[in-house]
Amino acid sequence: MSQYFADIAPVTFEGADSTNPMAFRHYNPQEKLGGKTMEEHLRFAVCYWHNFVWEGNDPFGGQTFQRPWFPADTMELARAKADAAFDMFRILGVPFFCFHDHDVRPEGDSLAESHKRLNEMADYFEKKMANGGPRLLWGTANMFSNRRYMAGASTNPDPDVFAYCASTVKACMDVTHRLGGENYVLWGGREGYETLLNTDLGRELEQMGRFLSMVVEYKHKIGFKGAILIEPKPQEPTKHQYDYDVATVYGFLKRFGLEDEVKVNVEQGHAILAGHSFEHELAMARTLGIFGSIDMNRNDYQSGWDTDQFPNSPSEAALAYYEVLMAGGFTTGGTNFDAKLRRQSLDAEDLIAAHVGAMDICARGLKSAYRMIEDDALEGPRRARYAGWDSADAQAMLAADATLDGIAARAEQARVNPQPRSGAQEKLENIVNRYV
Ligand code: XLS
Ligand code: NI
Ligand code: NI
């Protein structure tokens, strides 16, 4: 127990009419939608990083937050941070948490010392996870903060950095495996470039492909049953990140024969940075068969950088969970918040209130999405739009033995002049609005 959240009671469901800002109005963990409870559908997780590590700094100013565990540069303070973190997980009632190695332990003077500290913290977590404590959704390595990674991790021009990364990822995968983690995440960090003038693009992609292949091999070697997830992002911190978006990641996986081994962790804010909507990225992942998990941090639409705000739009959440449900729901994945408070939100209570609102928006979105699917509200019109393709004649055009000139001859004979039909977008938007 830490004293940090001592004044805050566990958050409970009070129903849609509640005016209590520290209660759930939609997230009722045990309420069932179909065969699963909301808790099982949403699989909420909270990431350590922005919640317990970020100090409130921005490019123009330093620390605004004063947490008792800062600067967390000793193992004692790391444990105090863990105590506060697990108190928050308990208050929110989230079933999962996530962390980067760097979030949970101060870096040691050597690689070996860093690994030792990580393992000590994992021992500490093991006790907190026992007896109904939160489970681990994913573990990951921070290979972007330290200056040794400034020119990339596995894509670094220096082979010693590549080797350093191998050791770091191995240690993090071991710990994730030991703690029963359900996924291992690789967000690109600084895998990208600032300028092509000093970058050998082909070589860097090759290095990244080999590295990922070895990560997958190691997963099988240690018997880790969870999923390996790549988290796409188009830019920031580098000018161009190699894992630009879901489609780019898929092309990369195909190239290295990893499309059945690796899935994606899609983040709302990263989708926006890539010039997509969140639902576009989710629909793409579903279609390509690589949907894994989500980071529910939204981006400001004007900023141009990753603002990692808590989600707060019911209609966006509804369209996102629509895609999640259409993908068959989460298996190993979940809904992770690695969101940031705004830097003026100083209090312990702000951290809790932000998650309460975010969890509630997701629950509301899930319920809307579930009802839209149950009522066939969007799939019905969508099927009708493509109904022409149901006939045997139409299907024959897609068969393996169909040819362009064969189809051309048919069209020329039939002399049908295709008649355009309305896409009815506004009517569909009205339908969505009825559900949110
Ligand atoms: C940064 C990413 C990061 C990953 C995990 O933009 O969102 O937080 O989720 O390394
Ligand atoms: Ni993320
Ligand atoms: Ni992000």
Side-chain angles (χ1 to χ4, degrees), residues 46-91:
V46 169
C47 187
Y48 238 78
W49 186 17
H50 292 141
N51 287 305
F52 300 104
V53 181
W54 182 55
E55 297 179 340
N57 47 301
D58 72 7
F60 299 92
Q63 180 173 352
T64 57
F65 300 147
Q66 293 172 327
R67 316 279 194 214
W69 56 88
F70 284 171
D73 54 353
T74 63
M75 285 300 277
E76 196 187 330
L77 286 172
R79 281 187 292 273
K81 174 162 62 171
D83 292 343
F86 278 78
D87 280 349
M88 187 173 95
F89 306 152
R90 180 182 45 80
I91 289 168

Side-chain angles (χ1 to χ4, degrees), residues 138 231 265 267 270 295 297 308 338:
W138 49 254
E231 185 175 319
N265 182 39
E267 181 166 312
H270 300 180
D295 272 9
N297 319 353
D308 286 313
D338 189 14

